[in-house]
Amino acid sequence: MEQEKRAEHLLLAAWATALIATLGSLYFSEVLGYIPCDLCWFQRIFMYPQVIILGIAIVRKDAAAARYSFTLSLIGGGISLYHYGSQKIPLLQEYAISCGRIPCTGQYINWLGFITIPFLAFTAFMIIMLLSWTVMRQQRKESER
């Protein structure tokens, strides 16, 4: 029973992370008026559904949903990492893919010299991935008993 509660709390933390990331990205675009580049849109595609998936998982007490959030976060985190690299690494900036109207190398924010929007997204994806992995590992241990 205690393991089920732990899984619920981990999923709740993952859901809260996804919700904060989603609201943060909407704040940047809808309130501050920052136009998302194409890579930002791809990151949103992998973050936004997690609010719904993890929310349903919490309500239904379905720890198996951690597999889906882990997969979405792995892909979204990869996109975020590439995007961050294209902003911060000169070699990647030089050969960055074309991102439509808004350049993917642009930095609307640059807090403390390294925190950009893709960095924030990467951090959220990694937190969700770690929490989901912990739930999946816990499930594996329970099934082995």
Side-chain angles (χ1 to χ4, degrees), residues 14-138:
W15 174 80
T17 303
L19 180 65
I20 290 167
T22 297
L23 294 175
S25 75
L26 290 171
Y27 175 77
F28 284 135
S29 62
E30 301 304 316
V31 176
L32 297 181
Y34 299 161
I35 301 170
C37 70
D38 289 351
L39 287 176
C40 288
W41 278 112
F42 284 116
Q43 291 165 74
R44 288 175 174 205
I45 288 168
F46 289 96
M47 182 61 74
Y48 288 12
Q50 293 198 59
V51 176
I52 297 167
I53 291 168
L54 291 166
I56 291 170
I58 293 164
V59 170
R60 297 189 67 202
K61 299 182 187 310
D62 182 11
R67 291 182 301 218
Y68 308 120
S69 63
F70 180 87
T71 304
L72 288 170
S73 292
L74 182 66
I75 297 167
I79 295 167
S80 296
L81 186 60
Y82 171 77
H83 191 187
Y84 184 68
S86 72
Q87 289 181 328
K88 294 296 186 180
I89 301 171
L91 181 65
L92 288 178
Q93 281 180 342
E94 193 175 321
Y95 296 103
I97 61 172
S98 175
C99 259
R101 296 182 328 153
I102 306 301
C104 290
T105 55
Q107 299 177 37
Y108 285 117
I109 65 169
N110 191 19
W111 300 331
L112 304 175
F114 72 97
I115 300 173
T116 64
I117 294 172
F119 180 86
L120 294 171
F122 178 74
T123 302
F125 281 125
M126 290 304 104
I127 291 169
I128 295 167
M129 202 164 79
L130 178 65
L131 293 167
S132 298
W133 179 78
T134 305
V135 170
M136 292 179 340
R137 195 179 85 198
Q138 177 184 317

